[in-house]
Amino acid sequence: MTSTFTDSTDTADNAAGGTGTVRMGVFVPTTKAQWSEHTGPGEAVSFGVRAERTGFDSLWVTDSLLTPRLEALTVLAALAAVTERVTLGTGALLPALRTPVQAAQTIASVDLLSRGRLVLGVGAGFPGRFGRPVYAMAGTPWPNRFQRLDETVALWRRLWTGEGPVSFHGEVLHFDDIVPATRAFRPGGPPVWLGGATPAALARAGRGYDGWLPYPPDPADYGAGLAAIRAAAGEAGRGDAPFTPALFVNTLITDAADGGRAALDAYAWANYGRPVEEMEKIQANAAGTPEAVVEQLGRYVGQGARHLVIRIAAPDIPAQLGQLDRLVALRPALNALLAGRT
C-alpha cells in the first residue's frame, strides 16, 4: 500500500503547502552563543516575527540542557502571541527532559495559544555527549529510551483527547487515574514528527507518527528512508494518514570562493565543538551561491522532502537576519524543480 502522505501541517491557520509545493521553515536563534551585547534573548522573538513577514511557513526551536539557551516551549509560547499564520515547531523536543504529564499540559497550552499551529518534532537523544549526560541531568533512565519516547507520545495523545480520568500502562510508563487534562486545540493534539533515520526509527515513524524530520547527509538515504516509512505505514494500516516528509538542513547562501566551507566549519566548531568534516558525515548541509543551494536542496526535494527546516549556518543574529530574504527567494526555483518531477 502506498501512502498519499499529505502534509499534516496544513491546518486552517496555515494552509500554504501540501504535496505539490515546498514549504520552508527557519530556526530562531535561541542559544546564548548567537547573542551579543547588542542582541539578546528577546531578539529570538523579534527574529521570528521578521521571518513570518519575510514569508517563511514555519519557525523552529531546539531543545537541550547542554548549552545555555531559551527553553523550547517557552519560546514557542512567546512566538504564538506575536505571530499569526506560521507553524511553530520543535526540532527536536526531547520529552525525556520533562515529566510526561506536565509536558502534555504545557504542549496543549502552547497549541491553544497558537490556535493549532504547533508541530512537535521529537527525539530520544543520541549516544555520547548528547545522550546519557543529558538524561542524567534530567533524572531520566537511559535504557529503553525509544520505548519511553513512543509511550510518552501515546500518553500525550490520550491526555489531549481523553474525557475523564486517564490510566496508561505501557512497558515503561505507568499512570492511574490522571485527572482530566488540558485538551489541545485540535482533536488528537498537534502533529508529532519523529527524528532519526535508523531502520527501527523509520519503522516507528511509519507506524505511529505524523511526520519525519531527519538530517541525512546523502539525499539518496532520505529517499530510501521515506520509502521504508511508507512501507511501514502501509503495513500498519496508516497508508492514507496525513504525513509530512521534512528535512533539517544547515544552510548558508554565500558568494565566498570556497562555497561557504570555512563558514560551515566555524559554525560546526561553535555549535558542536567539531570540524565540518565530521559533522557533514551525519548532518545535511547546503551552502554556496543561490543556484548552488537550490541544486543541493533540490536533491532532497527530488527524494520526497516537502518541508525544509533550515538552520542558518551564520554565527549571530544580524548575519542570520541577512539571510532571510535570500532564503525565501529560493522557493520558486525549488517549486519549479518539484513541478518538473510531477
Side-chain angles (χ1 to χ4, degrees):
M1 184 174 182
T2 301
S3 170
T4 57
F5 275 44
T6 55
D7 192 339
S8 66
T9 59
D10 281 340
T11 67
D13 291 299
N14 192 355
T19 55
T21 60
V22 176
R23 304 181 70 192
M24 297 181 70
V26 64
F27 278 89
V28 300
T30 60
T31 60
K32 185 177 180 181
Q34 297 167 319
W35 310 333
S36 69
E37 59 179 323
H38 303 295
T39 56
E43 295 299 321
V45 176
S46 299
F47 182 98
V49 172
R50 168 75 177 275
E52 180 181 54
R53 292 174 180 169
T54 302
F56 279 90
D57 301 298
S58 58
L59 303 174
W60 297 81
V61 293
T62 56
D63 188 33
S64 178
L65 293 178
L66 284 181
T67 56
R69 73 181 68 218
L70 300 175
E71 195 276 328
L73 295 172
T74 303
V75 177
L76 295 186
L79 287 168
V82 295
T83 58
E84 297 179 356
R85 61 167 186 83
V86 286
T87 294
L88 304 174
T90 58
L93 190 77
L94 299 177
L97 304 187
R98 302 158 178 85
T99 59
V101 176
Q102 179 273 332
Q105 182 182 30
T106 302
I107 292 165
S109 299
V110 177
D111 196 46
L112 287 166
L113 290 170
S114 67
R115 298 188 61 79
R117 291 186 284 132
L118 181 63
V119 168
L120 295 173
V122 299
F126 306 94
R129 175 173 176 248
F130 295 95
R132 287 181 183 272
V134 175
Y135 273 63
M137 283 186 277
T140 304
W142 177 252
N144 301 317
R145 63 190 183 278
F146 301 114
Q147 185 68 27
R148 180 184 299 277
L149 173 63
D150 292 347
E151 290 184 12
T152 298
V153 172
L155 173 62
W156 286 349
R157 287 170 171 160
R158 290 276 305 279
L159 292 172
W160 293 331
T161 59
E163 295 285 354
V166 170
S167 294
F168 184 94
H169 294 281
E171 295 181 20
V172 178
L173 301 182
H174 301 275
F175 294 96
D176 284 306
D177 298 326
I178 304 172
V179 299
T182 302
R183 302 188 70 173
F185 183 85
R186 285 166 286 182
V192 185
W193 302 356
L194 185 66
T198 65
L202 299 173
R204 290 164 51 231
R207 290 195 303 263
Y209 287 82
D210 307 303
W212 186 39
L213 183 59
Y215 45 62
D218 187 343
D221 290 338
Y222 187 97
L226 190 55
I229 292 173
R230 287 193 174 105
E235 292 171 3
R238 300 182 67 245
D240 292 325
F243 193 93
T244 300
L247 174 72
F248 181 130
V249 55
N250 299 312
T251 307
L252 183 70
I253 296 178
T254 175
D255 296 321
D258 67 351
R261 188 75 176 171
L264 287 176
D265 187 58
Y267 192 79
W269 278 111
N271 285 271
Y272 297 103
R274 301 179 184 180
V276 67
E277 288 81 9
E278 290 186 21
M279 296 310 302
E280 67 186 358
K281 294 177 182 178
I282 59 175
Q283 285 193 343
N285 293 288
T289 63
E291 295 77 15
V293 172
V294 166
E295 192 274 332
Q296 293 165 52
L297 295 177
R299 296 176 192 171
Y300 289 95
V301 172
Q303 293 291 337
R306 294 296 179 267
H307 199 132
L308 305 179
V309 179
I310 292 170
R311 187 166 65 169
I312 301 175
D316 53 38
I317 294 174
Q320 293 186 24
L321 285 169
Q323 291 275 310
L324 292 180
D325 288 311
R326 302 187 77 186
L327 287 166
V328 165
L330 303 180
R331 184 160 41 197
L334 291 168
N335 281 328
L337 287 174
L338 179 60
R341 293 185 173 96
T342 58

